[in-house]
């Protein structure tokens, strides 16, 4: 008899099972082809906050751009997006951004509106504001948010260098400790994770950081560099070779199985879990709708059309789900963002970009 694999730990809000994800994808395909909205079609809706940030991370895929709108979605737009999220069957609102979510004035309103609709929230944060704001930390906990805190290194100088501020190590420690004290990691699935970007400066710490997370019921959200924004400019300083990345991924996978009993196949760009572009739709701070944080291609704008109309009419979002369903595998950013991989049902290939 084959011994079943132990279920991998998840972060609450990102814990979409594979078969559930596939069912969402099938529903999406049917909605696009027939116009019938039957069942959920978008499990995770991302909302990006405006480009105000108190860090200057050397690997930032966006980079601070003063020419971009600083306002973010209005309260009315937030309500409209969240109503659409419910209509689309979303379970989770993922809050990230060109900027830092915890310094955006609209965050409390977004959290309250999401909570009232029964939507879970996941917040990517550098933790600086949370380090000294007990009231905000308590608000996030009481509104059932999950946190992904920036934690690139145990070494203070490396944490500061990668985050572009001399106090990053202090805020790393204080925000993490406060989150633990409040109880974010006392639940299953956990509501606390650490986000680590694998760079030349921290590559030798990745395994230790991974075990640190596992030992504390903390979700390790570890990712490779995205060659856009500031990261593209600094790539020679921070990049890790493909051979070294392969070695790191294999070492962590081996350790996870040996020490914790978790078995998974290493795939880039994320350690221990696969890219879930097929689970997401993103609404940017200026209203543009996209398929992923990284593609930078707009499907439409909620200031001109409703989110449901944009989703229904997007050939790119449809193709991403169709590729996965027809080829019965995880797809990559290259598959999703190029027209190189034709659908089985359309060998002429529908261009994506």
């Amino acid at each position: 008899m084959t011994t079943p694999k132990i279920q991998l730990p998840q972060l609450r809000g990102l814990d979409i099972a594979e078969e559930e994800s596939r069912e969402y994808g099938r529903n999406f395909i049917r909605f696009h082809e027939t116009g019938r909205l039957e069942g959920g079609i978008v499990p995770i809706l991302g909302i990006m906050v405006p480009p105000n940030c108190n860090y200057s991370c050397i690997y930032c895929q966006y980079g601070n751009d003063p020419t971009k709108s600083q306002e973010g979605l209005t309260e009315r737009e937030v309500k409209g997006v969240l109503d659409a999220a419910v209509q689309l069957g979303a379970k989770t609102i993922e809050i990230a951004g060109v900027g830092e979510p915890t310094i955006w004035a609209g965050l409390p309103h977004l959290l309250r509106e999401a909570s009232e609709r029964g939507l879970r929230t996941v917040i990517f944060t550098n933790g600086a504001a949370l380090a000294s704001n007990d009231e905000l930390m308590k608000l996030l906990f009481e509104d059932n948010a999950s946190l992904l805190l920036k934690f690139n290194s145990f070494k203070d100088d490396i944490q500061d260098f990668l985050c572009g501020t001399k106090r990053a190590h202090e805020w790393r420690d204080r925000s993490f400790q406060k989150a633990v004290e409040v109880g974010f990691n006392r639940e299953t699935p956990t509501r606390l994770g650490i986000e680590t970007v694998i760079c030349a400066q921290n590559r030798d710490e990745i395994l230790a950081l991974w075990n640190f997370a596992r030992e504390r019921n903390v979700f390790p959200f570890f990712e490779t560099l995205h060659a856009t924004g500031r990261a593209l400019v600094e790539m020679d300083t921070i990049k890790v070779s493909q051979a070294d990345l392969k070695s790191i991924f294999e070492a962590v996978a081996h350790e996870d199985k040996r020490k914790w009993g978790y078995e998974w196949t290493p795939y880039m760009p994320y350690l221990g879990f696969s890219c879930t572009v097929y689970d997401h739709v993103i609404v940017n701070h200026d209203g543009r709708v996209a398929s992923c944080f990284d593609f930078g291609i707009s499907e439409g704008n909620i200031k001109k059309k409703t989110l449901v109309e944009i989703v229904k009419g997007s050939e790119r979002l449809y193709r991403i789900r169709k590729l996965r369903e027809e080829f019965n595998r995880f797809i990559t950013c290259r598959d999703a963002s190029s027209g190189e991989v034709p659908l089985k049902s359309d060998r002429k290939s529908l261009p994506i970009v």
Side-chain angles (χ1 to χ4, degrees), residues 135-249:
E135 183 177 345
L136 179 56
M137 183 72 83
K138 184 179 179 181
L139 173 66
L140 298 180
F141 185 76
E142 292 178 346
D143 279 347
N144 295 312
S146 296
L147 299 182
L148 279 163
L149 297 172
K150 191 175 298 295
F151 203 123
N152 285 317
S153 175
F154 294 121
K155 300 173 183 178
D156 295 351
D157 58 337
I158 292 179
Q159 178 79 3
D160 293 350
F161 171 75
L162 293 177
C163 296
T165 175
K166 293 181 179 180
R167 297 188 65 186
H169 71 278
E170 174 189 341
W171 293 326
R172 171 201 63 197
D173 295 343
R174 291 174 61 185
S175 60
F176 183 83
Q177 184 60 37
K178 285 180 180 292
V180 169
E181 290 173 355
V182 170
F184 279 93
N185 64 331
R186 293 177 195 161
E187 301 178 27
T188 303
T190 185
R191 291 168 56 193
L192 180 61
I194 56 173
E195 182 196 14
T196 303
V197 178
I198 303 171
C199 302
Q201 290 72 20
N202 66 358
R203 49 156 294 176
D204 293 333
E205 298 182 77
I206 298 304
L207 190 56
L209 286 163
W210 186 272
N211 282 324
F212 171 85
R214 287 285 194 241
E215 290 163 0
R216 291 161 176 80
N217 190 33
V218 170
F219 181 74
F221 189 102
F222 289 19
E223 58 186 319
T224 58
L225 290 162
H226 298 276
T228 58
R230 190 179 295 125
L232 188 59
V233 177
E234 303 288 349
M235 192 58 69
D236 288 343
T237 302
I238 60 179
K239 68 180 179 181
V240 181
S241 71
Q242 289 297 307
D244 284 348
L245 285 173
K246 182 176 184 293
S247 179
I248 291 169
F249 274 56

Side-chain angles (χ1 to χ4, degrees), residues 281-294:
V281 169
I282 308 298
V283 179
N284 283 283
H285 69 281
D286 54 5
R288 290 178 298 112
V289 176
S291 53
C292 180
F293 293 112
D294 305 319

Side-chain angles (χ1 to χ4, degrees), residues 16 20-45 84-91 276-281 307-314 317-318 321 324:
I16 308 296
E20 182 181 19
S21 171
R22 288 184 177 278
E23 183 62 27
Y24 269 85
R26 296 181 194 111
N27 292 342
F28 190 109
I29 292 169
R30 184 164 54 248
F31 177 53
H32 182 88
E33 293 177 347
T34 69
R36 297 196 302 271
L37 184 54
E38 300 171 353
I41 64 172
V42 179
I44 302 174
L45 180 70
V86 173
Q87 190 176 351
L88 296 171
K91 291 188 168 186
T276 55
V277 61
Y278 34 76
D279 287 331
H280 281 84
V281 169
L307 181 59
V308 175
E309 289 174 330
I310 293 170
V311 168
K312 181 179 184 300
S314 171
L317 295 174
Y318 167 71
R321 277 77 177 171
R324 184 196 190 194

Side-chain angles (χ1 to χ4, degrees), residues 259-311:
K259 188 170 184 178
W260 304 102
Y262 304 131
E263 188 172 356
W264 44 270
T265 302
Y267 289 111
M268 296 182 194
Y270 299 105
L271 257 175
F273 60 100
S274 299
C275 178
T276 55
V277 61
Y278 34 76
D279 287 331
H280 281 84
V281 169
I282 308 298
V283 179
N284 283 283
H285 69 281
D286 54 5
R288 290 178 298 112
V289 176
S291 53
C292 180
F293 293 112
D294 305 319
F295 290 165
I297 305 168
S298 177
E299 307 302 316
N301 197 300
I302 63 164
K303 298 179 186 294
K304 297 180 179 179
K305 289 185 177 181
T306 69
L307 181 59
V308 175
E309 289 174 330
I310 293 170
V311 168

